[in-house]
Every structure is written in C-alpha cells, then in structure tokens.
Amino acid sequence: GGYDIKALATAQSGDRIPRTDWGVYKSFTPRRDEEKTQRKGEASYRKYENPIGQQREFFMPVVPPELADAIYKKHGINPTTAERQSGLYYVALKYNLPIIVTEGAKKTMASLSQGHITIGMQGVNALYRATDDEGKRLLKRIFNEDFACWATPGRDITFAFDADSKPSSVVAVRRAMVHSIELLQERGCNIRVAQWKPVQGKGIDDLIVQSGPKAWDIAVKEA
C-alpha cells in the first residue's frame, strides 16, 4: 500500500514516514471465489487479495527520489533536505500541491510515473461511509477522516476513475464520485474530473499504454 496515511498526517519535517501493513496482492494463480461463483452461476476468481480483517486504506507508493525531484521542479518548488527525506507525499501535503485521486494500485503508480501526484483508493466509495457498524443506513454520509489531511481549503483534486462503457458501472461510479465531491467541496477543495473515451483505454494505466502518456497529460489538463 505504501505510506501509512495516519502517520503521514502527523509527521514532522525530516521524519521517515512508516509504511502501512495494509496492501493489495494479485496472484498469478487466483483462488476461486465460491460466494461470487454461486451468485453468478459461473466460475469466478479473486483477482485481488487484501489482508483479512483490516480496514481498507489508501495507496501512496514510495516514490524514487529522481521522480520526486522532477515533480518538485514541475510545481516550481524547492523543498528542504529534511522535507525531501520525508518523501513526496509529505511535501505535497505541506505545500498544498494538487493531487489526482483514482482507484487501485496499478493506476496510482501509472499516473505517478508520468509526474502526477496520485493517491489510490480501494473502491470508488472509499472517501465516505453510508452505513454504521451494524450495516444500517446513515441519514447522512460520513467523510472518511483518514483522508482529512488531504481535504484542505484550496487544494486542487482531480478525480480519474475508469472510462467504463457498461451503463450500470458508469452510473455506480458517477454516483460514488458525486458523493465524494460534495464532501470534499464542503471542506473547501477545488474539484475536477478527468475524462477520456473508453476506446482510448479503460483505466489510467490502459490509457497510457494504448494511447500514450500524452493522452493522460491531456486528460488531466482538460479536466
């Protein structure tokens, strides 16, 4: 998963941010998902695995210094040696830099590779909860306070979810995104949405491979 978001939120300049124990694993030989198989009536397999019993967190991968330096130059900043030691995400927090929000580890790293500060979510609705601990629907959605350190006034946040062609997926993703945007705007964030055509590639990683890195840069610029 990368850096621990709770530790990052309270870090001081020069601190070495600890890594989270949470993460995601993709097996070359995925195990059969019996519950989904029974529900769909055909063999289904678990594409991704997460630690059992742990709350899902955010993907903030460790970024190589040379890539971090290129990103600093792109934003016209020159962090101190201590700030650089704490890593790209610490610097992005302190300088209130714009971020991309997407879903999944691969898309997060694909976007980072092109110089965009990106945070990945495990699920499009990870920024809020709509039910209590007993599963009862809440009167109002609750913001995920783990993300509060990023939801600062004036921060530019661009959502970049998959370009789905399946109508039901489009509706579900847009609904989750709208709920997230409402909660972030309440905290003073400036929100944009990056879009591209499904034929260009489904996710950010697909877009970069199929249509080239420039297609992703354009999607961000024209969000």
Side-chain angles (χ1 to χ4, degrees):
Y3 291 117
D4 184 333
I5 195 169
K6 294 183 178 69
L8 180 69
T10 58
Q12 301 297 315
S13 182
D15 289 350
R16 293 193 179 277
I17 316 300
R19 315 281 180 87
T20 176
D21 290 332
W22 180 87
V24 97
Y25 169 70
K26 184 178 181 181
S27 174
F28 284 111
T29 54
R31 64 191 177 98
R32 185 181 169 107
D33 188 323
E34 296 300 339
E35 182 181 336
K36 192 179 287 186
T37 295
Q38 189 171 15
R39 186 173 69 249
K40 295 175 105 177
E42 58 183 38
S44 296
Y45 298 86
R46 297 185 67 88
K47 188 175 181 180
Y48 296 102
E49 299 278 2
N50 299 106
I52 294 175
Q54 285 195 30
Q55 181 181 349
R56 59 187 179 177
E57 297 183 19
F58 295 91
F59 297 109
M60 294 187 296
V62 177
V63 177
E66 59 272 18
L67 177 55
D69 287 343
I71 294 173
Y72 301 149
K73 289 178 183 177
K74 175 182 174 182
H75 290 285
I77 61 172
N78 185 24
T80 65
T81 300
E83 290 169 345
R84 290 169 187 265
Q85 183 172 295
S86 296
L88 173 67
Y89 287 99
Y90 174 82
V91 172
L93 267 181
K94 181 163 183 178
Y95 287 77
N96 211 35
L97 297 180
I99 60 171
I100 307 287
V101 172
T102 189
E103 183 189 14
K106 289 188 295 183
K107 295 160 197 169
T108 302
M109 290 187 281
S111 178
L112 275 166
S113 76
Q114 302 307 309
H116 299 282
I117 303 167
T118 308
I119 297 174
M121 303 195 301
Q122 181 67 2
V124 294
N125 59 351
L127 290 186
Y128 64 88
R129 60 184 299 182
T131 58
D132 61 19
D133 293 335
E134 297 177 351
K136 295 179 181 177
R137 184 161 290 279
L138 298 167
L139 293 176
K140 184 178 179 181
R141 292 170 189 83
I142 298 175
F143 185 69
N144 184 344
E145 289 299 328
D146 285 351
F147 199 78
C149 61
W150 292 104
T152 49
R155 187 184 299 281
D156 294 324
I157 299 177
T158 300
F159 279 81
F161 290 150
D162 286 358
D164 281 301
S165 55
K166 186 179 178 183
S168 59
S169 297
V170 172
V171 170
V173 170
R174 287 185 180 174
R175 183 186 297 120
M177 186 165 58
V178 168
H179 295 327
S180 300
I181 288 172
E182 289 173 340
L183 292 167
L184 287 168
Q185 286 181 329
E186 286 177 5
R187 293 173 179 244
C189 300
N190 305 315
I191 311 299
R192 295 182 178 189
V193 178
Q195 296 176 297
W196 57 92
K197 296 177 181 178
V199 293
Q200 292 179 278
K202 185 178 180 182
I204 295 172
D205 49 345
D206 305 312
L207 176 67
I208 292 170
V209 171
Q210 292 176 213
S211 302
K214 192 170 287 188
W216 171 226
D217 289 337
I218 290 171
V220 173
K221 184 178 180 180
E222 297 182 350

